Amino acid sequence: MKLIRAISIATKELQKKGIKSALLDSELLLSKAINKEREFIILNSSYNIHKNNINDFWKLIHQRSTGKPVAYLTGKKFFWKHEFKINDKVLIPRPDTEILVEQILHLYRNKKKISFIDVGTGSGCILLSILKERKDFKGTGLDLSSNALKICDYNAEKLRVKNRMKLFKTDIDKFDVGKYDLVISNPPYIKNSDLKYLDKEVVNFEPRLALDGGIDGLSEIRKVIKKSSELIKRGGKLILEIAFDQREKVKKLLRNNNFYINSVVKDLAKNDRCIISTRK
Ligand code: GLN
């Protein structure tokens, strides 16, 4: 079958299922099935697709039509400046989370060496993006999921930053190794009772462990703040991703745990997204 025809059939199929990015998704999934870049798909509409590849493609399209996110089907997602290997054991890296990376690089633009922790590191997208940008920084990733740690380790190897990274399978409140200049975290912060209102593609396919913030959405944030006040050196920073409606509550938690607030940064949609604080 010619490439253009396969794309057209797949796009219609996905549109029928209400998928808005049907054409783009079809192109990405075809490039996965024939193991070529998306550019190739765009430039070679009369390319003949081999029978085996077509079968793989229909399988991918079928899975996509059930709502499974493209990134889980292709096994990769671009974040900041690099492509990360992912699977459904880790949250798909979000563009909004790049704000944390941007803020950290700005705050530490004149610091040569720091040592930091990323709590709930997942694919490692935050941790490894920072290590890749700053050759003398050292980073520690914590996660409860050994599958996530495996993915992070693979990404670290690929980005060649493994020698400056340590990984621990642990909850933050049980972690007692060392003192740090900085703790970063994009913890699970969705209220338990709000999970059902998330986009179906999120709630049905992404790991609950990475989303569920307990009864008030703050149970993991609370843990991170409390423990960070012990792990961060005096004058060191804690930088958290938060939900659009958590600013005041998180500020209060920070103040009660020996931090002062530096700033709250908004995302592109003008929602509060990131809170920067300093350990007194
Ligand atoms: N931003 C994610 C979402 O709403 C939630 C991530 C998180 O809980 N840390 O899909």
Side-chain angles (χ1 to χ4, degrees):
M1 183 183 291
K2 284 219 184 336
L3 186 152
I4 190 167
R5 194 164 134 69
I7 289 287
S8 152
I9 295 171
T11 304
K12 281 192 199 117
E13 185 58 33
L14 295 183
Q15 274 167 346
K16 256 200 313 203
K17 296 279 160 58
I19 290 170
K20 294 193 184 72
S21 49
L23 173 60
L24 173 64
D25 293 2
S26 301
E27 289 173 353
L28 292 169
L29 294 175
L30 184 58
S31 66
K32 160 95 179 163
I34 65 174
N35 196 20
K36 293 197 190 293
E37 300 294 317
R38 182 166 161 243
E39 288 74 11
F40 179 91
I41 310 281
I42 294 165
L43 295 170
N44 295 278
S45 59
S46 53
Y47 175 81
N48 261 314
I49 305 169
H50 191 274
K51 216 170 61 204
N52 296 343
N53 292 339
I54 268 290
N55 283 337
D56 291 344
F57 181 50
W58 297 142
K59 278 184 205 147
L60 288 166
I61 292 295
H62 173 72
Q63 292 189 71
R64 180 68 189 114
S65 73
T66 69
K68 187 161 185 170
V70 175
Y72 287 148
L73 294 170
T74 58
K76 54 195 184 183
K77 178 75 183 177
F78 212 85
F79 178 88
W80 191 246
K81 295 184 181 171
H82 303 280
E83 191 174 82
F84 288 81
K85 173 180 162 149
I86 61 154
N87 65 20
D88 60 7
K89 301 294 187 282
V90 300
L91 202 71
I92 300 171
R94 314 280 207 258
D96 286 327
T97 302
E98 291 176 344
I99 290 171
L100 269 74
V101 176
E102 198 172 62
Q103 291 297 320
I104 291 158
L105 294 176
H106 182 70
L107 279 166
Y108 292 95
R109 63 196 177 282
N110 297 323
K111 276 254 180 172
K112 209 170 150 40
K113 281 187 183 180
I114 66 160
S115 163
F116 68 97
I117 306 185
D118 177 20
V119 185
T121 201
S123 62
C125 62
I126 308 174
L127 172 72
L128 305 177
S129 294
I130 293 167
L131 289 178
K132 190 73 188 163
E133 290 275 357
R134 302 299 304 272
K135 302 291 171 244
D136 294 312
F137 284 16
K138 290 203 168 98
T140 297
L142 312 184
D143 211 291
L144 279 172
S145 155
S146 35
N147 284 311
L149 292 173
K150 268 186 224 154
I151 297 271
C152 179
D153 193 63
Y154 175 95
N155 285 321
E157 176 103 47
K158 206 174 93 185
L159 293 170
R160 296 195 301 274
V161 296
K162 213 173 146 167
N163 57 334
R164 292 182 287 120
M165 178 200 71
K166 282 190 188 140
L167 295 177
F168 293 88
K169 181 179 182 314
T170 176
D171 212 345
I172 173 83
D173 55 1
K174 301 198 180 60
F175 184 74
D176 281 305
V177 186
K179 290 275 177 203
Y180 300 85
D181 302 290
L182 165 70
V183 172
I184 329 158
S185 185
N186 174 15
Y189 54 63
I190 311 289
K191 240 188 236 168
N192 208 280
S193 54
D194 282 351
L195 285 167
K196 57 178 177 293
Y197 303 122
L198 291 178
D199 195 304
K200 288 280 164 287
E201 295 196 7
V202 175
V203 66
N204 291 345
F205 294 94
E206 300 204 61
R208 192 136 300 207
L209 185 64
L211 296 167
D212 188 346
I215 288 178
D216 63 355
L218 293 166
S219 57
E220 299 309 309
I221 292 189
R222 214 175 271 121
K223 252 183 352 196
V224 174
I225 293 177
K226 197 159 183 293
K227 191 68 191 196
S228 295
S229 74
E230 295 168 26
L231 290 166
I232 300 177
K233 297 175 190 168
R234 197 174 295 164
K237 287 198 157 44
L238 171 59
I239 302 186
L240 293 169
E241 180 170 328
I242 55 168
F244 69 97
D245 58 353
Q246 290 174 334
R247 182 182 64 195
E248 292 312 317
K249 283 186 187 134
V250 174
K251 274 187 175 176
K252 198 166 159 209
L253 283 170
L254 286 164
R255 290 190 183 118
N256 290 343
N257 282 278
N258 221 10
F259 288 91
Y260 65 82
I261 316 300
N262 297 97
S263 58
V264 179
V265 185
K266 290 186 190 300
D267 61 22
L268 293 172
K270 301 253 186 306
N271 289 318
D272 292 328
R273 176 65 65 174
C274 165
I275 183 156
I276 302 174
S277 60
T278 301
R279 165 83 160 75
K280 283 182 202 158

